[in-house]
Amino acid sequence: MVETYKLNPNLTKTAAVAEWLQQRIDWQIYQPNQRVPSVRKLAKLLGISSFTVVQAYEQLVAINVLIAKPSSGYYVNAVTRSAPSHSKSEIAAKYPIIDTRWLVQQVFNDIPLERSPGAGVLPSDWVRNNKMEWAIRQVTQQAEQFIYDYGDIQGYKPLRQQLVQHLNVLGMQTQVDNVITTAGISQAVTMVTQLLTQVGDTVLVDGPGWYWLTSCLQQQGLNVVAIDRDPQGPNIEQMQKMFAAHHPKLYLTNSVLHNPTSYNLHPARAHQVLNLIHEHDAYIFEDDLYGAFVPDGQALRYATLDQFKRVFYTTGFSKSMASGWRVGMLVCPDPFIDDILRIKTLGSMNTPEFGERVIHKLWTQGEYRRQLKKVQQYLYTAHQKMRKALPKIGLVYPEHTQAGIFVWVDTGQDTSQLALDAYKDGWLVAPGQMFHPNAHESTYLRLNVSSTSDEFLRWLGKYLGR
């Protein structure tokens, strides 16, 4: 093949160099145990700084693609690169596999958010709080009082009290002793599933539903069954059949601004679901991470109707305030508080109090409420723009979509292939197959309204019109 020293213009320079070298390792231009070009040589060939090449090489070392040998250079790792031999043309034509691991890897790489309509986060400018540094300084001044202790295993009590007050306003009555802080929603998921399930058990999720959740549950050895989700909630007839056939103990769901559809829950459907839950001695794990984006929080939740008898309710701040703090909160039914605390103790001992104190400071000073109003307005404007833009490229803006982060769009074409072709052109998208446990073919695409640019919509319109 004719060598080219052009980098992908759609990536940062560091990511583009890493991609350039990764491709040539995949194509077996550089073989296992072979030395790759020196930093100085590759910098000269690509017309970039040596510092950028070093950064790219170190990233590849970190993920075991390369091995660094002092005073010698960088070499292809034979352990991770060993694979059946293929012709260079076969390997060059090979696409990456679109699955949860692939998308998560891309989300955490250097692809800029404006090139990532499939991302699950909001722009930093949207969620940045002008008082964050002030709150950190305030907590730092008090650090001597708590930083050397483990703290309360249930979490920072004033923050838990604040959540109880907030939930009471929303019609959910609970006590501070029923609230436990977690390292984000993800820890709450793993703790509740450890409590209620064993390897081989069946659990129910929404279809479509959060792709990370499905993969997490499957990794724990659980049989994950998706219940079709429409604008009113889960399909009751299908859910009845699954309870009769598999006797699941847990149904995990977003009831408010559902991921990926941004649908809410209809009262009649919610009552039907809770009737089934009580009838079959099961429980609901209600993820309310996106509920913060509903103006005044006024949306129906299972916990509002059930009052935490059969509902484990969780929320957090990773989307609305700061992902890096990893502050989540779990409300448990009375019989399970001690068991959940035991699982938390054995799993992580406690959660860092510093971040919990910062969140509490911002919340109680009114900064969180002001920030949410700003984000809600941004989301509303973005949805209005999307409502007008989609029909221009032949797509329909879904009628029941609420002003959350996402829009669930039917493209009429297999979006797994679309995602691969988009990736080749420097776009990160989230194809519909990833939001179903069996990864069946889907024509849907999850678009993040905050990162779906006019440029991407032009690309998508052109692609679909071919």
Side-chain angles (χ1 to χ4, degrees), residues 106-145:
Q106 304 314 315
V107 167
F108 286 102
N109 74 9
D110 290 330
I111 297 178
L113 188 60
E114 61 268 21
R115 305 283 305 179
S116 305
V121 298
L122 294 173
S124 296
D125 288 345
W126 286 30
V127 297
R128 180 175 289 112
N129 191 297
N130 294 332
K131 292 284 189 176
M132 180 67 76
E133 292 184 3
W134 167 83
I136 293 172
R137 288 196 300 270
Q138 293 289 309
V139 174
T140 300
Q141 291 173 6
Q142 304 167 343
E144 283 286 340
Q145 303 171 20

Side-chain angles (χ1 to χ4, degrees), residues 411 414-423 429 445 459-460 463-464:
T411 68
D414 174 19
T415 51
S416 60
Q417 182 62 50
L418 185 155
L420 294 168
D421 293 333
Y423 183 69
V429 302
L445 200 64
W459 180 92
L460 182 59
Y463 181 89
L464 295 175

Side-chain angles (χ1 to χ4, degrees), residues 32-309:
N33 296 317
Q34 181 179 350
R35 186 173 184 263
V36 298
S38 69
V39 170
R40 187 172 299 177
K41 179 179 179 180
L42 190 60
K44 183 177 181 180
L45 290 172
L46 296 176
I48 57 177
S49 71
S50 296
F51 177 73
T52 300
V53 176
V54 170
Q55 283 187 309
Y57 278 8
E58 288 301 317
Q59 286 185 9
L60 293 174
V61 170
I63 60 175
N64 297 317
V65 173
L66 297 180
I67 295 175
K69 297 184 179 180
S71 303
S72 179
Y74 293 87
Y75 293 78
V76 178
N77 189 340
V79 176
T80 57
R81 290 290 98 196
S82 59
S85 178
H86 298 283
S87 70
K88 291 179 183 178
S89 60
E90 288 177 330
I91 296 171
K94 187 178 180 181
Y95 286 114
I97 298 173
I98 299 294
D99 59 9
T100 299
R101 182 178 64 176
W102 176 84
L103 184 59
V104 170
Q105 287 174 339
Q106 304 314 315
V107 167
F108 286 102
N109 74 9
D110 290 330
I111 297 178
L113 188 60
E114 61 268 21
R115 305 283 305 179
S116 305
V121 298
L122 294 173
S124 296
D125 288 345
W126 286 30
V127 297
R128 180 175 289 112
N129 191 297
N130 294 332
K131 292 284 189 176
M132 180 67 76
E133 292 184 3
W134 167 83
I136 293 172
R137 288 196 300 270
Q138 293 289 309
V139 174
T140 300
Q141 291 173 6
Q142 304 167 343
E144 283 286 340
Q145 303 171 20
F146 68 89
I147 201 71
Y148 299 107
D149 298 323
Y150 279 109
D152 190 335
I153 184 62
Q154 286 198 237
Y156 184 50
K157 188 172 182 178
L159 179 61
R160 293 186 285 122
Q161 290 171 330
Q162 184 68 21
L163 178 66
V164 169
Q165 295 174 15
H166 173 68
L167 294 180
N168 288 345
V169 171
L170 297 180
M172 292 174 271
Q173 306 298 317
T174 188
Q175 304 295 324
V176 68
D177 289 341
N178 292 66
V179 181
I180 299 168
T181 61
T182 64
I185 302 293
S186 54
Q187 186 184 19
V189 170
T190 55
M191 289 197 305
V192 173
T193 52
Q194 284 179 42
L195 173 70
L196 296 180
T197 65
Q198 297 179 349
V199 173
D201 284 353
T202 295
V203 293
L204 304 181
V205 298
D206 291 324
W210 183 24
Y211 61 83
W212 179 92
L213 176 63
T214 293
S215 295
C216 173
L217 298 172
Q218 290 173 334
Q219 184 168 295
Q220 294 181 52
L222 300 174
N223 175 37
V224 184
V225 175
I227 305 298
D228 293 340
R229 172 80 181 242
D230 63 31
Q232 294 188 337
N235 183 300
I236 290 298
E237 290 75 18
Q238 188 181 5
M239 184 174 274
Q240 287 174 326
K241 292 178 181 178
M242 292 302 105
F243 271 114
H246 299 288
H247 309 290
K249 298 293 288 184
L250 191 60
Y251 166 50
L252 302 97
T253 183
N254 298 120
S255 52
V256 179
L257 296 179
H258 170 255
N259 179 7
T261 65
S262 285
Y263 295 155
N264 285 344
L265 185 66
H266 190 276
R269 192 70 60 85
H271 279 287
Q272 290 175 311
V273 171
L274 283 170
N275 286 339
L276 280 176
I277 291 294
H278 282 264
E279 178 184 347
H280 292 277
D281 191 24
Y283 293 87
I284 294 176
F285 180 93
E286 184 170 29
D287 172 4
D288 198 26
L289 181 62
Y290 302 98
F293 301 128
V294 177
D296 300 319
Q298 296 305 313
L300 181 66
R301 296 156 173 90
Y302 288 108
T304 311
L305 299 175
D306 182 73
Q307 296 300 314
F308 306 108
K309 293 182 179 64

